[in-house]
Amino acid sequence: MPTENDTRLCWISGTGLGLLVWILTVGPGDLNWFEGLVLALVSGVLFGAFLIWLLCRGEPAMDASHWAPPPFTGNPAVQPKKTVPAVRDDLKEIRGIGPKLEEMLNEHGITRFAQIAAWDDKEIDHFAEVIGRMGGRIRNDDWVGQARTLAAGGGTEFSKRVEEGGLY
């Protein structure tokens, strides 16, 4: 990406060319000083603008359309499956998982508390990358610990509030 100094150098080069044109038209040329000055200004501005167009227009910004997370190579029991199990847990009972994150996890085959409870560091890192900027919530909110409690049939204060309908 061009900087302010790059465009400044283009204008300086244009000014240098304009000065050269003025000297060559007034000195050995047939034009008087005012006509040479006008010709020098026009040529300097055109050359400076041309250099900026040619050299300083920059690269187009990259987007993330070609990026995809790396393939999942973790525990096969936790690996996303194409088929969705008939029984699903309400993953929103885990603090930090809302409707959108639950939908995203379901799309990746995670529908049960036991699947999250079985995650090791490799799976946590993978799903943190899949989730994106909210991926830090997996460790911050201790999804694995909450999932172990819920998979064992227990409950947390947050899951009780979700079941009562106080959230979502």
Side-chain angles (χ1 to χ4, degrees):
M1 193 73 192
T3 64
E4 187 176 322
N5 286 336
D6 294 336
T7 57
R8 185 177 301 134
L9 288 175
C10 291
W11 285 118
I12 290 171
S13 299
T15 304
L17 177 73
L19 184 61
L20 181 67
V21 166
W22 184 55
I23 291 171
L24 292 176
T25 56
V26 171
D30 294 334
L31 300 175
N32 63 25
W33 73 271
F34 184 72
E35 292 168 337
L37 181 63
V38 170
L39 184 62
L41 287 173
V42 169
S43 63
V45 168
L46 288 177
F47 188 68
F50 174 72
L51 285 178
I52 288 175
W53 174 80
L54 183 67
L55 302 174
C56 300
R57 63 179 166 212
E59 297 294 322
M62 291 179 51
D63 62 358
S65 62
H66 302 298
W67 182 86
F72 184 73
T73 58
N75 184 351
V78 182
Q79 185 150 357
K81 297 173 179 63
K82 296 296 179 192
T83 60
V84 178
V87 178
R88 293 180 177 212
D89 290 325
D90 185 7
L91 298 180
K92 293 186 300 289
E93 291 184 17
I94 296 176
R95 184 184 37 174
I97 299 180
K100 294 290 185 182
L101 286 178
E102 181 183 38
E103 183 180 322
M104 184 183 299
L105 289 170
N106 288 340
E107 288 172 2
H108 286 84
I110 305 299
T111 59
R112 305 293 314 244
F113 296 133
Q115 290 174 296
I116 296 174
W119 285 358
D120 61 6
D121 284 338
K122 191 173 186 178
E123 281 93 16
I124 290 172
D125 292 338
H126 170 73
F127 282 103
E129 191 170 336
V130 168
I131 290 170
R133 65 180 181 89
M134 301 292 286
R137 298 191 77 166
I138 296 173
R139 285 193 173 90
N140 293 344
D141 291 336
D142 189 26
W143 288 7
V144 175
Q146 292 180 68
R148 285 186 185 133
T149 302
L150 294 168
T156 64
E157 183 179 324
F158 186 81
S159 68
K160 291 175 186 169
R161 288 185 6 214
V162 171
E163 287 175 0
E164 293 171 0
L167 302 169
Y168 311 117

